[in-house]
Amino acid sequence: MKAANTLPVNAEHKAAALPATPEKINVIDEDVCLPVAIVKAKALDNNIRWMQRYAASSGVSLAPHGKTTMTPAIFRRQVEAGAWGIGVGTAFQAKVAIEAGVPNIIMANQLVGKANIRLVSQLMKHSAVPIYCCVDSETNARQLSDYFASQGQKMRVLLELGVSGGRCGCRTEEEAYALAALIRQLPGLTLSGIEFYEGVIHSDDEQADLATIDAFLKRVLTVTQRLAADGAFADVNEALLTGAGSVWYDVVCRQLKQAELPTGFRYVIRPGCYITHDRGVYQQAQDALRARDPLSCDLGGDLASALELVACVQSLPEPGLAILGFGKRDVAFDTGLPQPIALYRDGKKLPFEADSAHTENLMDQHAMLRYGKGLTLKVGDLLVFGTSHPCITFDKWKTIYLVDEDYSVLESMETAF
């Protein structure tokens, strides 16, 4: 077979930097292939420190959900700022977190599949970093125990509690008590705490959601209190009680503060999308949180949108319609389309009103932008877009650039999806 051609071109990913001069790389000067996803360093640092202050003020530990970014450079910043650990969803994500120097790992998911189980076992053999996974069924518990016991290991497991119609987790207290009793008898497992996720409770009725979450958290605490009283966590020096996503973390923290659990518990919250925040669903969630939670206002400051997309005007095929050079392969579109927030021409920022243009559709590599008569666009102009739901943007990029306020590149951050 004929070998593929290898070109002597330094372009390892779709946003490769090809600066005219090597001294500085600037996105607005088009020193990188466009489109490009960037993270503003100032906003990133603000968000990391704000959430760390919130956790500390609430008396809980922080294990941000790393699947949002899967970016080791960001994991390291979170840990350096005081995060107790990182939350992950898969065995591979746990490996990435260990390699990034994370001190504790919560796999907020079931560990299922022979190769996945073998990978976690190997990680445990070569690293002292504690890894926790969730269990919600007798079958999975026995599978895990059989394998880890055969390796002379004990897997730290968290009993997961869930809600009807939600994701994983025991649905009744009786199921939870029976499973906890079984786990304690299995030689390859150590019952190390309780895990829950309230984020699946979300509708257009905030008050109804709050009532449902309150009832769920009371059930979580009831189960935890009974198991603690029965000595279910006697085999660990510290048991975890962990939950909270990026929408209801204030409600979880308030309930945990009021919990009357014995000493020896560590409360851990796991929000993820706060890290870059957004200009869509998580901005709306944060606005609602600040309206109901005095602590979030008393801390000073707030979360800020850090993740942006920069793209070229590619075509102006008809009046009022611009085609931008990005699409579904580049940015999240599941909870609202990316919208323009700034305009640049020949490296200079031009006046731009947010309501003067609107993204109305995305295709694989094209965005369709409608704009009014008050806005003049030219082919080659750069538009900066704010996004909604950062997870779905991060996973479309091998490299994301950390930039300053002038869009000069400070660091190339590799993702690990």
Side-chain angles (χ1 to χ4, degrees):
M1 182 180 294
K2 184 178 180 180
N5 292 333
T6 300
L7 299 175
V9 177
N10 185 23
E12 300 299 326
H13 56 89
K14 64 181 180 179
L18 298 169
T21 58
E23 289 78 17
K24 185 175 78 169
I25 300 172
N26 186 277
V27 171
I28 301 303
D29 290 339
E30 300 181 52
D31 291 333
V32 304
C33 295
L34 299 177
V36 63
I38 61 93
V39 170
K40 291 285 194 68
K42 183 177 180 180
L44 178 69
D45 180 69
N46 168 82
N47 295 348
I48 289 173
R49 297 186 184 283
W50 191 92
M51 189 58 75
Q52 196 64 51
R53 291 200 308 274
Y54 189 94
S57 299
S58 299
V60 303
S61 297
L62 181 62
H65 207 356
K67 64 93 178 170
T68 298
T69 69
M70 282 310 297
T71 303
I74 292 179
F75 291 178
R76 288 189 285 270
R77 283 173 168 83
Q78 291 172 304
V79 170
E80 288 167 1
W84 172 82
I86 291 289
V88 301
T90 69
F92 174 73
Q93 291 175 4
K95 174 182 180 290
V96 173
I98 288 175
E99 291 174 338
V102 172
N104 295 281
I105 296 170
I106 296 175
M107 183 185 298
N109 209 349
Q110 280 63 38
L111 177 55
V112 180
K114 293 179 180 179
N116 294 328
I117 295 170
R118 283 196 296 270
L119 176 53
V120 170
S121 174
Q122 291 169 10
L123 294 176
M124 291 167 58
K125 288 177 181 178
H126 295 286
S127 170
V129 174
I131 304 174
Y132 302 82
C133 76
C134 296
V135 174
D136 68 354
S137 72
E138 175 181 330
T139 299
N140 186 215
R142 293 188 184 278
Q143 290 170 341
L144 293 173
S145 180
D146 288 347
Y147 186 83
F148 285 102
S150 74
Q151 302 299 306
Q153 298 173 311
K154 291 179 75 72
M155 181 67 203
R156 299 173 177 86
V157 298
L158 305 173
L159 179 65
E160 181 168 11
L161 303 179
V163 296
S164 178
R167 300 196 312 209
C168 306
C170 297
R171 296 306 200 245
T172 68
E173 294 177 27
E174 290 71 22
E175 290 176 26
Y177 298 139
L179 183 55
L182 172 65
I183 291 171
R184 294 207 67 202
Q185 297 172 8
L186 295 175
L189 304 182
T190 301
L191 183 59
S192 301
I194 300 291
E195 189 273 350
F196 62 92
Y197 178 60
E198 78 299 330
V200 294
I201 302 170
H202 204 279
S203 70
D204 294 329
D205 188 339
E206 181 182 8
Q207 293 307 309
D209 289 341
L210 289 169
T212 302
I213 292 169
D214 183 68
F216 175 47
L217 294 178
K218 286 181 178 177
R219 180 160 63 89
V220 169
L221 292 175
T222 296
V223 170
T224 307
Q225 288 164 343
R226 174 171 161 178
L227 290 177
D230 291 345
F233 309 110
D235 296 331
V236 295
N237 294 325
E238 178 180 77
L240 304 187
L241 178 56
T242 176
S246 300
V247 175
W248 307 110
Y249 59 87
D250 64 311
V251 179
V252 172
C253 286
R254 184 165 58 251
Q255 287 273 23
L256 294 181
K257 273 186 176 180
Q258 299 169 359
E260 297 181 357
L261 295 177
T263 57
F265 273 89
R266 179 183 292 272
Y267 304 139
V268 185
I269 61 171
R270 307 189 313 272
C273 290
Y274 78 90
I275 188 65
T276 58
H277 201 44
D278 71 5
R279 294 176 182 266
V281 291
Y282 288 107
Q283 180 61 61
Q284 296 166 12
Q286 184 72 357
D287 289 344
L289 184 148
R290 287 173 66 84
R292 66 177 180 255
D293 178 35
L295 174 59
S296 63
C297 301
D298 294 342
L299 285 177
D302 195 5
L303 299 177
S305 180
L307 178 63
E308 298 174 355
L309 187 87
V310 182
C312 292
V313 175
Q314 184 167 314
S315 177
L316 298 168
E318 60 188 67
L321 174 65
I323 307 301
L324 275 292
F326 74 93
K328 294 179 180 179
R329 302 294 179 94
D330 307 303
V331 70
F333 55 91
D334 58 323
T335 58
L337 300 182
Q339 298 300 333
I341 59 175
L343 170 65
Y344 289 83
R345 181 177 297 154
D346 298 325
K348 296 180 181 179
K349 188 174 185 179
L350 300 182
F352 183 80
E353 299 292 335
D355 61 356
S356 63
H358 181 79
T359 308
E360 68 172 13
N361 193 21
L362 288 185
M363 296 183 180
D364 280 359
Q365 309 274 192
H366 298 86
M368 306 179 75
L369 188 83
R370 291 289 178 182
Y371 63 100
K373 294 181 179 179
L375 178 63
T376 300
L377 294 177
K378 293 184 178 181
V379 171
D381 283 351
L382 301 190
L383 280 167
V384 180
F385 289 80
T387 66
S388 180
H389 193 185
C391 303
I392 310 301
T393 295
F394 269 95
D395 67 12
K396 298 178 184 300
W397 297 88
K398 291 182 179 180
T399 297
I400 290 184
Y401 293 114
L402 185 71
V403 304
D404 64 15
E405 295 303 291
D406 295 321
Y407 293 86
S408 290
V409 174
L410 304 173
E411 181 180 343
S412 296
M413 302 188 298
E414 304 301 316
T415 65
F417 288 99

